[in-house]
Amino acid sequence: MRSSEAKRGIQRAPHRSLLKALGLTDEEIRRPFVGIVNSWNEFIPGHIHLDKLAQAAKAGVRTAGGTPFEFNTIGICDGIAMGHRGMKYSLPSRELIADSIELMVQAHRLDALVFIPTCDKIVPGHLMAAARLDLPSIFITGGPMLPGFVNDREEDLISVFEGVGACRSGKITPGELKTLEDLSCCGAGSCAGLFTANTMACLTEALGMSLPGCATAHAVDAKKVRIAKESGVQVMTLLKKGIRPSRIMTRAAFENAVRMDMAIGGSTNTALHLPAIAREAGVKLELKTFDEISRTTPHLVNLRPGGPHFMLDLERAGGIPAVMDRLKTRLNLGVMTVTGKTLRSNLKGFKVINPEKNREVIRYLKDPYHKEGGIAVLYGSLAPRGAVVKQSAVLPEMQVHRGPARVFDGEEQANRAIQNREVKEGDVIIVRFEGPKGGPGMREMLEATSAIAGMGLKRFALITDGRFSGGTRGPCIGHVSPEAAEGGPIALVRDGDVIEIDIPERRLDVAVPEEEMKKRRAKLRRTGIRKGYLSKYRESVSSADEGAVLLL
């Protein structure tokens, strides 16, 4: 056991004395030390119940003969950080979370780990740490929030964001917006649709790092507590058998996760997170892989924001195991999982209850919502190294679009113009200097996209070197690489330039002669933050097409 380095032998008497100051007995000290890595805090609805899941996980560890030690990581609520300077800190927190876990685990020589994260950047940060440390590990993602119920309809956080635009345009009253505000988010859990938080939980299960059924078990469901206890027991089995993340998070497993992402129509943020996690696991996962897999993966699940269903519907339809069962002819079934069995073995024992009743939630391969997967990667003169769009959330009439650019240097400028109704049908809104370096921090543009949706505009596009919330719908193209701060073509676009979007052909172009673009390049402005964490982040972060990882 690694923990023997910190507790065994005469020379470790002082160390054992300190452990006894915690109330540990000699027997508890002799047992394997299991870290309970918990992102609980009082800011995020997705986290407020994680203390209870930690207690359940610790009970499981003790039942199986281990001694648990709980510690916490930071977590930023993207919803609360949205639309202001705070969002600059969200993506950078991913690396800080991974680093802080490494420090705690390595300093205290833990033998195995139970990770209890949820929400957008926190789950990826924990997965990065698990891959880097390569100790027997298991994940308990916190689970979705139940949808709210407003005026005889199920609603969620995106309903409120879009309600702001609807209120500004006179479509609903301030009183109706207040009702949405009061009732849409009804308690603990990650926001109720397939936004980034729940997408990452689903992909954690698809990777094989959480027990079957964990991703869609809701935060308030006792099923989640039972899974937490089972996970505490199972991590001890993983320790005994020597099953580490390096045996689970293989190239084949990442391909499964990407294919599942395409099938469920998940958040575009996965194109940042999966490559970053894969890099820690020693696997190269390129942006083009997402598009290659998307072209051969039907879109089977149509949840909010692109479709009408909620995570609750997916849970009732059988969750991720049911989707994988439908997709199994296209998955790598020989991969290892935290059950200690292969994916093939896990699915062999799985049975969907009333599959015909749930066929609208999880379609069959022969009858998908779309023939291709949820994400497309576009290339062209505006994005030489790629850009990402959730094509499953784009209306058919906007799959191909040609329109004049409305250019904004930063999200605040764009938001003011949108709120003042200065954009119109057909416009292509360009929001730049919001990339990993330019922001810095690569902010999400949910406030802008939700305001446009709430206003009722249909024929518009928004293009950015920043990124989008998993709650975004419509022709919203992000991760444009190279970004403006690196001198990418997006920095050279001017108002009125014609932008050409062709999602089926995977093209994103600006109709400006190259000679003119060269003239404009000499006049680029530079942005910069000169102090604090963001300054250090800006100096070492890679491009979005590489996962926005830190290059040290």
Side-chain angles (χ1 to χ4, degrees):
M1 292 188 297
R2 276 169 35 112
S3 58
S4 296
E5 299 174 28
K7 65 185 183 183
R8 186 167 294 175
I10 294 174
Q11 71 275 21
R12 295 294 181 251
H15 304 64
R16 292 192 296 274
S17 182
L18 289 169
L19 291 169
K20 289 177 179 180
L22 302 175
L24 296 184
T25 65
D26 285 325
E27 174 58 27
E28 287 175 306
I29 294 172
R30 279 192 289 269
R31 293 176 176 183
F33 284 2
V34 180
I36 310 297
V37 189
N38 190 356
S39 61
W40 176 87
N41 65 53
E42 292 184 334
F43 268 108
I44 311 177
H47 290 58
I48 57 174
H49 64 301
L50 298 187
D51 54 339
K52 297 178 179 62
L53 296 186
Q55 293 302 319
K58 287 188 282 189
V61 168
R62 292 189 184 101
T63 297
T67 298
F69 292 84
E70 182 181 356
F71 64 91
N72 293 87
T73 72
I74 64 167
I76 290 173
C77 180
D78 280 17
I80 296 173
M82 193 72 65
H84 53 79
R85 181 181 171 84
M87 180 48 69
K88 291 178 182 286
Y89 292 85
S90 176
L91 182 59
S93 73
R94 185 186 70 183
E95 270 63 28
L96 191 58
I97 289 167
D99 290 348
S100 68
I101 295 170
E102 178 190 358
L103 292 173
M104 287 292 289
V105 172
Q106 295 289 41
H108 298 105
R109 312 312 293 157
L110 297 173
D111 298 304
L113 300 167
V114 178
F115 291 87
I116 310 179
T118 193
C119 294
D120 304 47
K121 252 50 78 241
I122 298 97
V123 174
H126 283 228
L127 283 166
M128 290 166 69
R132 184 187 303 174
L133 292 163
D134 200 28
L135 296 172
S137 299
I138 196 166
F139 276 68
I140 308 163
T141 49
M145 181 187 294
L146 291 172
F149 198 68
V150 186
N151 298 325
D152 293 331
R153 290 183 56 186
E154 290 179 318
E155 304 286 6
D156 56 31
L157 178 65
I158 305 308
S159 308
V160 189
F161 270 103
E162 293 183 357
V164 173
C167 185
R168 287 183 181 277
S169 61
K171 293 190 171 185
I172 64 172
T173 67
E176 290 172 317
L177 178 60
K178 178 66 161 55
T179 301
L180 278 174
E181 173 189 326
D182 289 345
L183 302 178
S184 293
C185 297
C186 62
S190 300
C191 300
L194 189 63
F195 316 136
T196 304
N198 288 321
T199 299
M200 286 309 307
C202 291
L203 298 192
T204 301
E205 186 175 328
L207 269 174
M209 289 300 295
S210 61
L211 291 178
C214 182
T216 58
H218 277 51
V220 297
D221 194 335
K223 176 182 176 181
K224 182 66 77 176
V225 178
R226 294 195 298 270
I227 288 173
K229 289 179 181 176
E230 292 164 358
S231 298
V233 171
Q234 185 60 22
V235 78
M236 297 303 295
T237 301
L238 295 174
L239 178 60
K240 183 184 296 184
K241 292 184 176 181
I243 299 176
R244 300 170 181 266
S246 55
R247 285 186 60 189
I248 298 172
M249 288 197 276
T250 61
R251 171 75 191 189
F254 279 104
E255 289 175 356
N256 283 350
V258 174
R259 197 171 296 279
M260 283 295 295
D261 189 18
M262 299 306 124
I264 64 177
S267 165
T268 53
N269 280 313
T270 59
L272 291 173
H273 299 321
L274 285 178
I277 299 161
R279 181 173 179 264
E280 295 287 357
V283 175
K284 187 173 184 180
L285 187 62
E286 297 178 303
L287 186 59
K288 66 180 182 179
T289 303
F290 286 78
D291 198 63
E292 291 167 356
I293 292 178
S294 182
R295 289 178 182 273
T296 60
T297 307
H299 178 215
L300 304 180
V301 177
N302 202 22
L303 304 188
R304 294 267 294 162
H309 302 122
F310 291 84
M311 289 296 295
L312 186 60
D313 299 304
L314 180 57
E315 162 69 0
R316 289 169 173 169
I320 293 306
V323 183
M324 299 187 91
D325 187 62
R326 296 271 166 92
L327 202 60
K328 62 186 174 187
T329 58
R330 305 190 187 191
L331 295 173
N332 300 308
L333 298 178
V335 295
M336 179 59 67
T337 72
V338 291
T339 64
K341 303 175 183 177
T342 64
L343 177 59
R344 179 181 290 107
S345 296
N346 291 346
L347 293 179
K348 193 173 292 184
F350 176 76
K351 184 179 179 181
V352 178
I353 300 173
N354 297 325
E356 292 303 316
K357 184 177 180 181
N358 292 318
R359 66 180 298 124
E360 282 305 300
V361 178
I362 307 173
R363 292 276 185 95
Y364 288 90
L365 293 179
K366 63 184 179 182
D367 182 34
Y369 282 101
H370 302 96
K371 291 182 179 179
E372 292 186 352
I375 290 175
V377 181
L378 314 183
Y379 296 91
S381 60
L382 189 57
R385 298 211 303 264
V388 179
V389 62
K390 185 191 281 192
Q391 62 174 341
S392 59
V394 180
L395 295 173
E397 58 268 29
M398 285 301 297
Q399 293 282 328
V400 177
H401 180 69
R402 195 171 189 270
R406 291 293 313 279
V407 181
F408 303 97
D409 289 345
E411 182 189 8
E412 285 80 6
Q413 284 188 15
N415 286 342
R416 283 194 295 270
I418 292 166
Q419 290 163 7
N420 293 333
R421 304 182 68 81
E422 296 172 13
V423 298
K424 60 183 185 299
E425 294 279 6
D427 282 349
V428 178
I429 301 164
I430 304 285
V431 185
R432 62 193 182 190
F433 293 103
E434 289 289 2
K437 290 182 180 292
M442 205 177 181
R443 285 192 289 184
E444 292 180 344
M445 305 289 148
L446 180 59
E447 185 170 315
T449 59
S450 296
I452 293 170
M455 289 162 56
L457 292 184
K458 301 294 185 186
R459 293 184 60 256
F460 81 96
L462 197 155
I463 299 173
T464 181
D465 54 4
R467 59 195 177 93
F468 293 108
S469 161
T472 296
R473 56 192 173 99
C476 300
I477 302 169
H479 307 197
V480 171
S481 301
E483 62 173 293
E486 291 184 316
I490 193 171
L492 311 178
V493 179
R494 294 180 180 174
D495 281 341
D497 288 348
V498 174
I499 306 298
E500 299 172 337
I501 302 167
D502 191 332
I503 295 174
E505 293 298 321
R506 305 300 201 256
R507 296 293 305 178
L508 181 61
D509 294 291
V510 53
V512 175
E514 180 57 31
E515 194 59 39
E516 172 62 19
M517 296 291 271
K518 287 180 180 178
K519 292 178 182 178
R520 296 179 184 181
R521 193 174 299 279
K523 300 178 181 179
L524 284 181
R525 74 175 182 86
R526 300 295 180 187
T527 63
I529 287 180
R530 302 302 179 193
K531 62 180 181 179
Y533 183 71
L534 290 183
S535 176
K536 293 182 284 188
Y537 180 82
R538 183 173 188 254
E539 293 304 314
S540 57
V541 69
S542 74
S543 177
D545 64 298
E546 297 175 330
V549 298
L550 296 185
L551 303 175
L552 301 176

